[in-house]
Amino acid sequence: MAELAAIGLAANVLQFIDAGYSITSSATEVYRSVLGMSAETSNRLATITDLEQISTQLQSTSSTVPRHESLRELSSKCHALSRELIDILKSLRAKKKGSILESFRVGAKFWWNRSKIESIHKCLDDYRAQIQLELTVLFTNDQGSLGRELQSLIGTTGEIQNEVRALRTFLESQRTSGSIDGAIRAIRDELLGFSDAVRRAKCERAILQALHFEKMEERFDDIKPEHNRTFSWIFNGAGSETQREDKPPFNVCFTEWLRSGSGIFHIEGKAGSGKSTLMKFLCDNPQTMDILRSWAGEKQLVFAKFFFWKSGTPMQRSLKGLTQALLHTILKQAPGLIESTFPNEYRQMYDKPWDLPCDKEIRIPYEEIQSQFEQLLASEPVCQSRRFCFFIDGLDEFDEFNGQDDNFMIYQKFVEKLSTWAATRVDVKICVSSRDWNLFRNVLDEAIPGSPSRRLLLQELTRDDMILTVKDTLKDAIGFYDTEPQLVRLADKIVERAEGVFLWVTLVLKSLLRGKQFDDSPKMLRKRLDELPTGLEDFFKFMMNSIEKPYRKLAALIFSVMLTIRKMSSDMDISPLMCSFFEDYEDNSDFIFRGNMSDEDLQRRIEHMRSQLVTCCKGLLEVRKATTESKELSDLLDYRVVFLHRSVSEFFESRFHPAEDTEIHSRVRELMTDKTSQASMLRLICLSFLSEMASVRTRHIKCLTSRRAGAIVSGLVQGFHEVYQGGQPLDFDMIDCLDLALQSPDASPNRPFGLVRERFGCMWVSKIEGTRGFVFDIFGTFALYGFKEIITPILEYSDSRTIHKRLHYVLEGALSGLFSILLPRNRPDRLEGLPTDISIYLDFIGQLLQQTNSDFWQGDLTDHQSLLEMICTRFGGSDTESDSE
C-alpha cells in the first residue's frame, strides 16, 4: 500500500505546515504588537502538545513510503523543523498566566527570536510548494499503482477514482492560489475527505465480506438456462395456448403481481418440471426488472435471490444461509444502509488506519444478522425510499438439519418465517418455488389470505414449451422440418406422456437421439418412444436395466461413490479424473497411480471418463465445470461429476420391492449398507484421490492446499473414524499414503516419507468456511474432531519417539476443535462432525499435556497452556455447558 501510505504521509506534512503557519503567524503578531499577546494568540501558542503529536506522526509514517524518496526527505525536514519550533515555544512559555508584565516579557522574547521564527515561516513556504508538487505527481503519475492499491483495499474503485480525479483537478487549481493559509487548509481538508471516503469504502467491503460465504451463488450458476423462446408466456398473463380442456385455466397474472401485488407468489410443480429453470429465467430476464422498477416507482428497487440446494453445504440449505445471502445482496445494492445496520462492526473497522488492508476479517454472529435483517425490512425510514423483492427457489430443498429432522413442523416454521417477512410491509414481497407438496400450499394459504390467486402449477402450463423444445432438438439433430406431420405427431406424443415433467422430456430425447447413428426413421422413433416408460422413477429403472452387463459393476461402483461422498460431507466432491481410476481399482484393489501426467494426458483421460459416464450411467451423472468463486486449480482439474438432478439421487436412496428392483440399484444398496463394503468404498475414494494428487503434483501444486483437498481429507478422516467405530480395523497404510500425497513435491527424495515413519506428516492449510484457516497435519485433523481413540493406537503402532516430536500439532488440533465448539459464532459450517461434548476434548487435551515431562516434547507448550487456561477461564463452570450447546 505504498501509494496510499504516501498520501497519508503527505496529509501529515500538510497538517504540520498548517499548524506551523498558524504558530509563526501568531508569533509575528506578538512581536509586532506593543500590547503583548491577546487571549486568542496565547491559545494558539499553547498548542505544543498538538505539535509534538504531529511531529511524532511525521517520524513514524516516514518509513512506510520507501518508493517516494523525495516525500520522505520532505517529511524528515518537516520533522526537524517541528522539533526546532517546539524548542522555541517551550522557551517562550509564560510562567505566570494572566500577568500583563509576563505578557510583555514573552513578547520581548519573541522579539529576540524573531529571526528564527521568520526563517521557519520561510521554510514553511518552501515546503508548501514542495508538498503541492509531490501531491500533484502522486495523483498524476502513479495512477496505475494507486488504482491497484485501491482495488486491493476496497475491491472496487468506481466512486473513489472519481474522487481521485476531482482531487487532482483541485490540486492543480490550488497551485496558483493567492491565499497560502487557505490553500493549505483546503488541500488538507480534501485529503482528509479522500481518506474518509476510502475508510468508509473499506468498512463497507469488510462487512460485505463478513456476510458473503463460499458457494453463495453456486446453485444459481449451476442451473442450465432455459431453451430458446420458452417461458415467455409468464409475462403474457396466459399459459399454454394448447392447454388441455380438462386442466384448470391459468387465471393468475404474474406480471400483475410484479407490478402491483404484495405478499408471496408461489410457483409449484412436480420434481423435474422446470421450477428452478423458470426461477433463473425470471431473475435474469430484463422484463422482470423493468416491471419491478415500475412497482418501486420513485423508490430504490432492491432485488435479491437465493436458490436452496439440498445437496450443497449447510449454508446453501439453511435459513442462516438464506438470511445472510439476502442481507449481503441488500447491503451491496444499498451500501448507505451498512453503517446503520452494523454500527459496532463499522466503527471497529473505521478506527483502523485507513491506508492498511484489513488484518482480520469481521465476524458477525448469526443472531445479529437475523435480527438486523428483520429490523431492516420493518424499518419505516428504510422503506420510505426503498422497496424489496426476493426470489427464493427450492423451498423443498431447505434442510436445516441435514435430513436428521425432516418433518412437517420444521418446514412449517420455515415457511411461516417467510410469510412473516412478506407480511411486514407492502414494500416487501417474495416469489418462491417448491415441489407441489400440500404442506407448502396449506401453510401459505393459512398465512396469507388470498394466496391461491397468487399461485401457478407449472406442469399445467409448459406444454407449448415442451413442444418447442422437442421440435427444435429433433430438427437440429435429425433434420426434421417444423411442419413435417411426423415430427408434429411425435412431439405431441412425447409431451403428452411427459405429464408436465421437463426432465422426462430431456431424458427421452437423449434416448431417442442415440438412434441417430442408425439413421432411424420417424416411424422407428415412434416405436422406440412407445417402449419407454412414463414417469421418472420407472424411467430410471428402465435406464438401469438398459446398461450393458460389462458396465454394470463399474456403474454401481460410481453411483455408490457419489452417494457415499454426499453422505460423508456436503463439501466433498469427485472429479472425472478421480473417477477415471475406478477401472484400475477393479483390477487391483491397492492401485495408486505413481507417475505424472502431461496436460495432454490429463485431457485425454478426462474426456474418456466423460464418454464412460454416458455409457455406464446413461447420462444420470454428468461432468460440470465447478462454479468456484476463487480460482484455485487448473482448468483441467476444475470439473466435477454431479447427479443430473436431485431426483436421481433420491431414486438411489429409495427402497423398492425386490421384484421391482434393478440389478444396479440392488448392488448400490448393498455397497452402501454392508460394513465391509463401506470400508472398501472409503479405501477406493482415498486411493482415487491419491492417484489424482500424484498425477498432477509436480505441475499443479495448488491442488495440495486447495479448499477441495482440505474438504476431501477432512471427510476421509471422519470416514476412517466411522469405519473404526463400526468394528473395522484402522487402515494405517491408507493414512500413511494420504499423508504422502499431501507432501510438497520438492521434498528430499533421500528421506523416507510417511506419517508413521520418518516424518510426522506434511503440514497443510485447510481453508475452512467461517475461520481464518487452521494449520493441520493428518493427526491434527483427527484431533480436531476429537477422535482420541484413533490417535492412541496410531501412536502405539508407530515409532513413538518420531511421533512425539510433533505432538504439539496434535494438541493444536484438539484445542482448535474445542475452541470451535465453545464459540458458536465462529463455528465453521464445514466442520459438521465436531462433537458437542467438550469433555471429549478436555480429556484428550489432559492426556496430551501429561506428556510434558517426556523427552519427546519438542518446543514450548506455554502458548498451548495459556490458550487452554483462557478457554477454561472464559467458559469454565456452568457457562461452558451453555455455550457449547
Side-chain angles (χ1 to χ4, degrees):
M1 298 295 168
E3 310 307 325
L4 290 173
I7 295 174
L9 180 58
N12 290 335
V13 170
L14 282 169
Q15 190 175 10
F16 164 68
I17 294 174
D18 183 37
Y21 266 127
S22 177
I23 292 171
T24 55
S25 298
S26 298
T28 303
E29 176 189 333
V30 169
Y31 65 72
R32 287 179 179 174
S33 173
V34 295
L35 297 177
M37 289 185 292
S38 66
E40 181 182 356
T41 303
S42 177
N43 290 335
R44 287 184 188 178
L45 296 177
T47 58
I48 296 178
T49 302
D50 295 340
L51 192 59
E52 286 182 328
Q53 184 178 357
I54 295 171
S55 178
T56 302
Q57 290 175 344
L58 285 170
Q59 186 177 29
S60 62
T61 58
S62 179
S63 60
T64 63
V65 287
R67 289 176 48 193
H68 297 268
E69 187 61 36
S70 58
L71 181 58
R72 289 179 61 196
E73 184 179 347
L74 176 59
S75 174
S76 298
K77 290 179 180 178
C78 288
H79 175 258
L81 195 64
S82 69
R83 299 312 310 175
E84 182 180 351
L85 184 56
I86 288 171
D87 291 341
I88 293 174
L89 292 178
K90 285 183 177 179
S91 69
L92 300 176
R93 277 178 172 170
K95 296 179 181 179
K96 186 178 181 181
K97 293 184 178 180
S99 169
I100 297 177
L101 183 61
E102 182 68 12
S103 177
F104 277 103
R105 187 188 69 80
V106 171
K109 282 191 175 184
F110 270 104
W111 175 264
W112 289 110
N113 284 281
R114 68 185 186 279
S115 59
K116 292 181 180 179
I117 295 173
E118 288 175 352
S119 176
I120 292 174
H121 195 84
K122 185 176 183 304
C123 285
L124 290 173
D125 282 337
D126 295 337
Y127 296 166
R128 178 191 73 90
Q130 289 182 45
I131 191 61
Q132 284 186 271
L133 179 61
E134 288 290 339
L135 284 170
T136 302
V137 171
L138 182 62
F139 281 93
T140 303
N141 297 342
D142 292 330
Q143 284 300 289
S145 54
L146 180 60
R148 286 189 294 272
E149 287 186 8
L150 290 171
Q151 183 71 34
S152 173
L153 186 68
I154 61 178
T156 180
T157 59
E159 294 182 6
I160 300 298
Q161 287 288 21
N162 291 335
E163 295 216 16
V164 170
R165 285 189 286 269
L167 188 54
R168 186 170 65 245
T169 303
F170 177 79
L171 289 171
E172 289 290 341
S173 68
Q174 291 300 312
R175 291 183 66 182
T176 58
S177 174
S179 172
I180 295 177
D181 286 358
I184 289 297
R185 289 195 183 94
I187 295 173
R188 184 198 62 185
D189 292 343
E190 286 294 321
L191 283 184
L192 290 176
F194 175 73
S195 68
D196 179 71
V198 174
R199 280 180 188 270
R200 293 188 176 280
K202 189 173 73 168
C203 293
E204 292 169 2
R205 186 191 189 196
I207 291 175
L208 288 175
Q209 285 179 332
L211 293 175
H212 186 272
F213 57 87
E214 190 181 1
K215 300 183 178 181
M216 194 167 75
E217 299 284 344
E218 181 184 47
R219 174 58 176 161
F220 178 84
D221 295 336
D222 203 38
I223 296 170
K224 296 179 180 178
E226 76 286 353
H227 186 82
N228 188 33
R229 294 177 291 153
T230 56
F231 294 134
S232 58
W233 49 265
I234 197 165
F235 292 112
N236 300 328
S240 172
E241 294 178 2
T242 56
Q243 189 172 313
R244 285 167 45 182
E245 294 180 358
D246 59 336
K247 297 292 182 182
F250 176 47
N251 56 7
V252 181
C253 186
F254 178 73
T255 54
E256 282 304 310
W257 178 82
L258 284 178
R259 185 175 290 108
S260 58
S262 60
I264 292 180
F265 192 95
H266 186 197
I267 297 173
E268 62 176 0
K270 296 179 180 179
S273 59
K275 301 180 296 297
S276 295
T277 306
L278 173 60
M279 289 290 281
K280 181 171 183 173
F281 165 81
L282 291 170
C283 289
D284 283 341
N285 197 295
Q287 291 187 68
T288 305
M289 296 300 108
D290 290 343
I291 298 172
L292 283 174
R293 288 190 191 97
S294 68
W295 167 69
E298 296 181 356
K299 296 183 178 183
Q300 178 191 2
L301 171 65
V302 179
F303 178 84
K305 62 182 183 294
F306 186 79
F307 282 54
F308 280 105
W309 195 20
K310 195 169 187 176
S311 299
T313 66
M315 292 294 283
Q316 290 176 297
R317 60 174 185 258
S318 65
L319 180 62
K320 177 181 179 181
L322 168 66
T323 309
Q324 197 161 313
L326 293 180
L327 186 55
H328 174 272
T329 306
I330 290 171
L331 297 182
K332 188 174 182 180
Q333 294 182 23
L337 297 174
I338 294 178
E339 183 177 5
S340 59
T341 303
F342 296 109
N344 295 333
E345 291 79 3
Y346 193 95
R347 178 51 56 184
Q348 173 188 338
M349 285 302 304
Y350 189 89
D351 290 340
K352 294 183 178 181
W354 72 280
D355 58 333
L356 295 179
C358 307
D359 58 346
K360 186 177 181 181
E361 59 185 89
I362 292 176
R363 302 196 183 282
I364 307 176
Y366 170 60
E367 293 75 13
E368 183 180 357
I369 292 174
Q370 185 179 39
S371 172
Q372 292 300 322
F373 174 74
E374 293 179 350
Q375 288 182 33
L376 187 146
L377 296 184
S379 170
E380 177 73 29
V382 169
C383 292
Q384 279 182 348
S385 57
R386 297 172 187 87
R387 281 194 153 184
F388 301 88
C389 181
F390 306 140
F391 274 58
I392 304 173
D393 177 63
L395 302 188
D396 51 285
E397 305 227 25
F398 166 78
D399 190 9
E400 192 83 88
F401 302 100
N402 198 18
Q404 297 177 7
D405 198 2
D406 188 9
N407 59 47
F408 174 80
M409 292 302 297
I410 298 296
Y411 280 109
Q412 182 180 27
K413 290 180 179 178
F414 166 59
V415 178
E416 286 175 349
K417 172 70 73 175
L418 299 183
S419 302
T420 301
W421 293 352
T424 303
R425 308 183 62 85
V426 295
D427 299 294
V428 180
K429 61 183 175 184
I430 307 174
C431 177
V432 301
S433 73
S434 73
R435 290 188 181 180
D436 51 350
W437 295 354
N438 285 331
L439 70 91
F440 291 128
R441 191 180 303 114
N442 294 339
V443 173
L444 288 175
D445 287 352
E446 182 177 347
I448 304 177
S451 61
S453 65
R454 297 194 295 269
R455 176 182 294 119
L456 62 84
L457 194 59
L458 188 57
Q459 62 261 26
E460 297 178 352
L461 304 166
T462 53
R463 178 179 174 81
D464 284 348
D465 292 338
M466 291 183 180
I467 289 177
L468 179 63
T469 302
V470 171
K471 285 184 177 181
D472 286 350
T473 304
L474 294 177
K475 180 178 63 175
D476 294 340
I478 302 178
F480 285 166
Y481 295 105
D482 278 338
T483 57
E484 191 168 339
Q486 293 169 313
L487 173 61
V488 174
R489 288 195 295 270
L490 181 61
D492 285 341
K493 188 65 176 178
I494 291 174
V495 172
E496 181 181 349
R497 294 189 57 194
E499 298 179 346
V501 180
F502 245 118
L503 179 59
W504 188 89
V505 173
T506 302
L507 295 173
V508 165
L509 288 173
K510 287 183 178 180
S511 177
L512 294 180
L513 292 180
R514 293 192 189 103
K516 181 182 179 182
Q517 58 182 315
F518 307 116
D519 198 22
D520 285 349
S521 65
K523 186 176 181 180
M524 181 56 67
L525 289 175
R526 174 63 184 270
K527 288 182 178 181
R528 291 181 56 213
L529 174 63
D530 291 339
E531 293 182 358
L532 300 177
T534 301
L536 281 180
E537 186 176 289
D538 290 338
F539 197 88
F540 291 154
K541 292 179 181 178
F542 171 82
M543 295 177 77
M544 292 299 98
N545 289 326
S546 68
I547 296 174
E548 297 179 39
K549 287 191 175 182
Y551 298 109
R552 290 184 179 181
K553 184 178 179 181
L554 180 59
L557 194 62
I558 295 174
F559 283 123
S560 299
V561 168
M562 291 294 297
L563 294 169
T564 299
I565 284 181
R566 185 166 177 251
K567 181 181 178 182
M568 288 170 63
S569 171
S570 57
D571 287 311
M572 291 181 68
D573 57 40
I574 187 168
S575 68
L577 183 58
M578 282 179 65
C579 276
S580 70
F581 295 108
F582 291 176
E583 213 169 341
D584 302 296
Y585 179 82
E586 281 191 295
D587 299 329
N588 178 7
S589 60
D590 293 322
F591 173 83
I592 299 180
F593 182 80
R594 302 288 186 182
N596 184 47
M597 292 188 192
S598 66
D599 283 349
E600 291 75 17
D601 292 336
L602 286 173
Q603 185 69 53
R604 281 193 294 269
R605 196 172 185 98
I606 291 171
E607 290 304 319
H608 171 72
M609 197 61 228
R610 285 180 184 268
S611 301
Q612 286 286 290
L613 287 175
V614 173
T615 304
C616 293
C617 304
K618 295 298 182 181
L620 296 182
L621 296 176
E622 61 181 9
V623 176
R624 295 180 189 170
K625 189 170 180 63
T627 55
T628 50
E629 296 167 12
S630 59
K631 191 63 178 175
E632 290 184 320
L633 308 177
S634 162
D635 286 340
L636 290 174
L637 304 176
D638 208 14
Y639 288 89
R640 303 290 174 263
V641 179
V642 298
F643 283 107
L644 174 67
H645 191 267
R646 173 182 155 199
S647 56
V648 179
S649 60
E650 291 175 340
F651 166 77
F652 282 105
E653 290 168 347
S654 302
R655 288 186 173 273
F656 302 109
H657 189 278
E660 300 176 350
D661 212 348
T662 65
E663 177 187 343
I664 292 180
H665 189 277
S666 177
R667 185 174 293 182
V668 169
R669 187 171 64 251
E670 180 182 344
L671 289 171
M672 295 294 295
T673 55
D674 180 71
K675 297 293 184 183
T676 304
S677 297
Q678 287 178 352
S680 299
M681 195 69 58
L682 181 66
R683 184 180 180 86
L684 168 61
I685 295 169
C686 190
L687 287 170
S688 61
F689 173 66
L690 294 174
S691 296
E692 179 183 74
M693 292 294 102
S695 65
V696 301
R697 60 188 286 116
T698 59
R699 289 170 300 103
H700 301 293
I701 185 63
K702 287 185 178 180
C703 293
L704 302 180
T705 56
S706 65
R707 288 180 174 88
R708 176 174 174 267
I712 291 177
V713 173
S714 179
L716 288 171
V717 164
Q718 292 190 71
F720 285 131
H721 183 246
E722 291 176 6
V723 167
Y724 179 79
Q725 286 186 316
Q728 298 295 316
L730 194 61
D731 198 335
F732 291 109
D733 290 335
M734 277 295 92
I735 298 173
D736 192 34
C737 291
L738 187 60
D739 180 70
L740 171 62
L742 295 173
Q743 295 182 31
S744 173
D746 58 3
S748 171
N750 298 322
R751 297 184 60 189
F753 289 127
L755 171 67
V756 293
R757 297 194 184 103
E758 173 66 18
R759 303 181 62 190
F760 181 83
C762 172
M763 299 301 296
W764 55 283
V765 179
S766 176
K767 292 292 186 181
I768 298 177
E769 178 71 25
T771 73
R772 289 182 59 82
F774 294 129
V775 180
F776 302 132
D777 51 28
I778 302 300
F779 272 10
T781 309
F782 278 116
L784 174 77
Y785 290 97
F787 298 157
K788 62 178 182 178
E789 71 273 28
I790 286 186
I791 298 257
T792 303
I794 294 182
L795 291 175
E796 295 173 351
Y797 167 82
S798 63
D799 178 352
S800 58
R801 179 173 293 276
T802 300
I803 294 301
H804 279 76
K805 286 181 180 179
R806 304 293 290 278
L807 271 179
H808 55 285
Y809 290 113
V810 182
L811 183 57
E812 180 179 327
L815 286 168
S816 297
L818 175 61
F819 205 69
S820 295
I821 287 296
L822 294 177
L823 288 179
R825 70 194 184 103
N826 287 342
R827 184 180 301 170
D829 293 309
R830 290 189 173 188
L831 302 184
E832 300 173 10
L834 282 177
T836 56
D837 184 2
I838 66 168
S839 64
I840 293 175
Y841 288 100
L842 294 176
D843 292 344
F844 189 16
I845 293 168
Q847 291 177 18
L848 294 172
L849 290 176
Q850 288 176 5
Q851 303 289 333
T852 53
N853 295 326
S854 170
D855 294 335
F856 297 136
W857 277 110
Q858 300 291 324
D860 189 6
L861 289 177
T862 305
D863 290 341
H864 293 119
Q865 291 172 327
S866 298
L867 178 58
L868 182 60
E869 290 175 4
M870 182 271 288
I871 290 174
C872 293
T873 301
R874 181 169 180 179
F875 300 101
S878 59
D879 292 338
T880 302
E881 296 181 2
S882 61
D883 280 329
S884 65
E885 293 177 355

